[in-house]
Amino acid sequence: MLTKEELATIRERAERATPGPWKTSQHDQYSLDIVSVPEQEVICWTDSFGQGARDGYFIAEAREDIPKLLAEVERLRRLVWVMNDEGEYRFGYAEWYDFHEGVNERLEGMRNE
């Protein structure tokens, strides 16, 4: 499980990177550029064949994928089982995934029931 600090570090790296979107562009017969759109600034390059090309496509897509994944992690961490005033558990939103003291222990207990 990622800690809040690890997620914050990933978010900081994404925010410091050249703004996206990024795309791949064939530079020449042997190299593939990863460029920002619309500026066409070259971010990096890799081989245009084999694993290098697959890595290049991954890098280009990661610029938009990482912020989306971070947002989804945050959304899911806010969605937790919470106890209502009658002591019944239900799905609900908490300010943060650890909003209630011991929520992880309560969830584990519920899984074992």
Side-chain angles (χ1 to χ4, degrees):
M1 182 168 136
L2 291 170
T3 66
K4 286 189 278 187
E5 292 78 17
E6 289 170 319
L7 286 169
T9 299
I10 293 167
R11 180 174 301 289
E12 288 171 15
R13 276 196 299 262
E15 290 172 353
R16 286 193 312 258
T18 302
W22 295 354
K23 68 172 192 161
T24 56
S25 175
Q26 189 74 37
H27 179 78
D28 60 27
Q29 180 179 357
Y30 303 105
S31 64
L32 186 68
D33 291 339
I34 290 72
V35 298
S36 62
V37 177
E39 298 84 5
Q40 297 299 305
E41 175 186 343
V42 175
I43 307 300
C44 63
W45 64 270
T46 185
D47 295 333
S48 64
F49 51 89
Q51 189 62 47
R54 290 187 290 276
D55 291 346
Y57 294 121
F58 176 81
I59 292 166
E61 294 299 324
R63 182 65 192 102
E64 292 183 319
D65 291 347
I66 295 297
K68 289 177 187 175
L69 288 169
L70 288 169
E72 181 67 1
V73 167
E74 289 175 3
R75 184 188 74 80
L76 291 172
R77 284 192 172 183
R78 286 191 302 268
L79 179 62
V80 295
W81 283 96
V82 294
M83 185 184 296
N84 64 18
D85 293 336
E86 289 78 38
E88 299 168 337
Y89 286 102
R90 62 175 176 77
F91 270 117
Y93 284 91
E95 185 63 29
W96 291 100
Y97 71 99
D98 59 352
F99 179 77
H100 298 286
E101 193 67 36
V103 72
N104 288 332
E105 291 81 12
R106 287 193 300 230
L107 286 171
E108 192 60 37
M110 289 171 47
R111 287 188 196 112
N112 294 329
E113 290 178 359

